Amino acid sequence: MTAMKPILVPDSARRWDCLSLGEVMLRLDPGEGRVHTTRKFEVWEGGGEYNVARGLRRCFGLRTAIATVLAENPVGRLVEDLILQGGIDTALLKWAPYDGVGRTVRNGLNFTERGFGVRAAAGCSDRGHTAISQVKPGDFDWPSIFGNRNGTKWFHTGGIFAALSASTAAVASEAMDAARSHSTPVSYDLNFRDSLWKSIGGKAKAQEVNRELVRKVDMLLGNEEDFSAMLGVHIKGVGEDFAELPIAGYEQMLREVAASYPNLKLVASTLRTAHTASRNAWGAIALYEDKIFHVAQRDIDILDRVGGGDSFASGLIYGLLAGKPIEWAVRCGVAHGALAMTTPGDTSMATLAEVERAMLGGSARIAR
């Protein structure tokens, strides 16, 4: 008898296949240039939790929604337009009145440069006092959202949303409780961001918040830094540069996390070694039903690394929702993440056919 129970996907008819809760920012991308020297930006929408729902919709064809809040102004409407282009249901998007200046409420901006070669990718977010950071328990009618007239087969949120303010962590907890009461699997991506936590208590506060939230989660995602910073679980044999990633150490880390949180049914970590900004080794490891599933690292070329972990999450979730074997789901996540990092922006532009081809080790010969 295994210590970990399997994830059971609801078989009843529900409005959505996946619902995500989190912030959606406007990303300003200088392309091949630098943020501090550019004269033009291309815009995308993005957010750690949102990217998962968008990948599930655009690549895998599932019905997804985002629960978020935007400030009612032209920038907010631009973000909404980008969300609509991604095919995401905006029924749960709320609008906050804008004061004309942004003293009380505003939309988040994320300036991100992709990096190249020895120049690492870099980001500078401008997200203080954003509309979604001010959401409080009771603002979303979770019993109705997860209830019989609506409902979702999967719920996803993460550590970025939980770090936006003291109230957002409470909202995440409230949503998780409602999801669990309707037998909806809950996934949570730790997604540690030092910039979000450093002014509100740092890693100590991050661990206090996340240790409570993880007790309500079915599937936990992260990387070695996330598990260390957010839960205080360290991996043995890894240096600060993450040049070597010992699989035995990862297995021990995942088992330690599962033992500490017996509610968890699946724990997964991406495996990334950044040789340069544009050349990474990429893979994953997961613990499910007390068994380890490992997709060995493989060198891949990177155009834009942002969102690779989110695309891993959406590929993994798709496999579970589609009733595929866990080995298939993990390989799907790795392939989808790799493809997402070959295009600009936070979100995936891959197709399911491309993901399946990559899973089979298909070459990059022209398809025509």
Side-chain angles (χ1 to χ4, degrees), residues 117-134:
V118 296
R119 176 172 60 85
C124 177
S125 62
D126 181 16
R127 65 197 306 175
H129 310 293
T130 57
I132 186 62
S133 72
Q134 299 178 46

Side-chain angles (χ1 to χ4, degrees), residues 94-143:
K94 294 178 176 291
W95 294 96
Y98 185 62
D99 63 10
V101 178
R103 292 188 180 95
T104 58
V105 67
R106 54 194 291 272
N107 296 299
L109 304 178
N110 184 23
F111 298 84
T112 302
E113 54 187 59
R114 303 173 199 167
F116 184 83
V118 296
R119 176 172 60 85
C124 177
S125 62
D126 181 16
R127 65 197 306 175
H129 310 293
T130 57
I132 186 62
S133 72
Q134 299 178 46
V135 70
K136 294 177 175 57
D139 287 353
F140 287 99
D141 185 358
W142 297 119

Side-chain angles (χ1 to χ4, degrees), residues 17 53-64 318 350-352:
D17 295 306
R54 194 186 190 282
L56 284 166
R57 175 65 187 91
R58 293 295 287 166
C59 180
F60 300 106
L62 301 188
R63 302 160 300 148
T64 63
Y318 170 73
T351 66
L352 177 55

Side-chain angles (χ1 to χ4, degrees), residues 224-255:
E224 61 287 323
E225 182 184 17
D226 296 331
F227 287 105
S228 173
M230 300 287 249
L231 297 180
V233 179
H234 303 282
I235 182 172
K236 295 179 180 178
V238 174
E240 292 185 4
D241 58 356
F242 302 110
E244 298 291 334
L245 304 182
I247 297 306
Y250 274 85
E251 178 176 347
Q252 183 178 343
M253 178 185 72
L254 296 185
R255 291 191 182 281

Side-chain angles (χ1 to χ4, degrees), residues 3 12 20 35 42 75 78 93 101 206 220 245 277 285 316 325-326 329 333 358:
S12 58
S20 284
V35 169
E42 192 166 9
V75 176
L78 171 58
L93 192 164
V101 178
L220 184 64
L245 304 182
I285 185 170
L316 178 58
I326 185 65

